[in-house]
Amino acid sequence: MSKEAIKMDYDGYLLKITVEKDGGRYETRPGDYQNWVDFMWQFEFKERAEILKQLSHYFDDYSLCSKAVDALLPAIGTVGTLDHNSKETRYTIAVEAMFLINWMAFGDMATFLSTKPILFDVEKKTAVAYDDYKSIKKLAKFYNRWVKKKQKDGNISFLEMFELDSGDVIWEGSDAMQTEERKQFFKKTFRDVN
């Protein structure tokens, strides 16, 4: 795992993974988030859990990402988290790491959490500014706890998305999933799917 200085929309950084396995070398393309989603499925769960752990080392990195906010849309289904149109265009490496964990852990189902790397303050009902480190830390606490759990578990359930989206700071758009009716529908639909 590395943080690379790459100029895209801003002067900033992007994350990159390089894995050497069975004589092969696998790399992500920084800023190409769909590539990261596809990349993850090349590895066994134990290896993926290690990649998630490596990403977690960036949860307190508030360097600016060089890529502007852009939606990552699923290959299937209707996007339920595009209800907000925040003016935020920037995000940090910490937010990038958590956003990538969503998509690498849950694939296209991550659309229920986030389609954009923008956080949302539940109480204020507004997007979190990219440099609001206090809010980023709140969400990172949930992610740190979850990543540590994944080092021991051996699997990931789609229902675990709710563990990552239950605090004072969540992903912008995912507040649409916060009603009890939607949670129950989601849990009923995906209770037997891992």
Side-chain angles (χ1 to χ4, degrees):
M1 180 72 60
S2 62
K3 180 173 93 171
E4 312 247 327
I6 297 174
K7 182 162 175 54
M8 289 183 78
D9 303 299
Y10 308 107
D11 287 327
Y13 302 89
L14 290 165
L15 296 174
K16 178 181 179 180
I17 296 175
T18 303
V19 176
E20 294 186 15
K21 175 185 169 185
D22 301 329
R25 184 176 173 96
Y26 304 87
E27 292 184 329
T28 57
R29 293 187 301 269
D32 181 353
Y33 297 148
Q34 185 60 53
N35 168 260
W36 283 66
V37 174
D38 299 337
F39 173 85
M40 202 56 172
W41 299 111
Q42 299 177 75
F43 304 103
E44 299 296 322
F45 179 81
K46 189 173 184 174
E47 295 163 318
R48 292 196 318 253
E50 180 58 30
I51 292 169
L52 298 179
K53 180 180 173 186
Q54 294 300 316
L55 279 167
S56 74
H57 296 292
Y58 291 91
F59 288 172
D60 60 355
D61 187 329
Y62 306 116
S63 304
L64 180 66
C65 275
S66 59
K67 180 181 170 102
V69 167
D70 191 22
L72 176 57
L73 302 174
I76 57 166
T78 305
V79 179
T81 55
L82 281 175
D83 295 343
H84 296 277
N85 289 309
S86 167
K87 303 286 188 244
E88 289 298 320
T89 60
R90 298 173 187 237
Y91 54 106
T92 64
I93 290 293
V95 172
E96 181 188 35
M98 290 183 280
F99 181 73
L100 289 169
I101 283 176
N102 293 346
W103 285 86
M104 293 172 81
F106 303 113
D108 283 347
M109 297 305 291
T111 189
F112 289 102
L113 277 175
S114 60
T115 54
K116 296 178 182 177
I118 300 174
L119 304 183
F120 185 79
D121 185 303
V122 174
E123 186 178 312
K124 296 177 185 172
K125 298 194 181 314
T126 186
V128 170
Y130 85 94
D131 58 354
D132 181 350
Y133 310 133
K134 186 177 177 184
S135 292
I136 294 169
K137 283 180 185 181
K138 286 181 181 179
L139 188 61
K141 256 176 58 177
F142 284 92
Y143 276 75
N144 268 317
R145 191 169 39 238
W146 186 78
V147 168
K148 285 178 185 168
K149 188 172 102 174
K150 293 298 101 190
Q151 302 304 301
K152 299 173 189 159
D153 274 8
N155 68 18
I156 294 174
S157 164
F158 291 133
L159 298 178
E160 291 179 78
M161 283 189 269
F162 292 110
E163 289 179 45
L164 300 175
D165 201 43
S166 59
D168 297 336
V169 176
I170 60 176
W171 293 97
E172 184 182 59
S174 68
D175 57 312
M177 287 294 296
Q178 297 299 315
T179 67
E180 198 54 41
E181 179 184 14
R182 286 196 180 189
K183 284 183 183 179
Q184 290 306 317
F185 174 77
F186 188 89
K187 288 176 180 178
K188 182 179 175 189
T189 303
F190 296 107
R191 73 174 162 253
D192 297 324
V193 180
N194 283 327

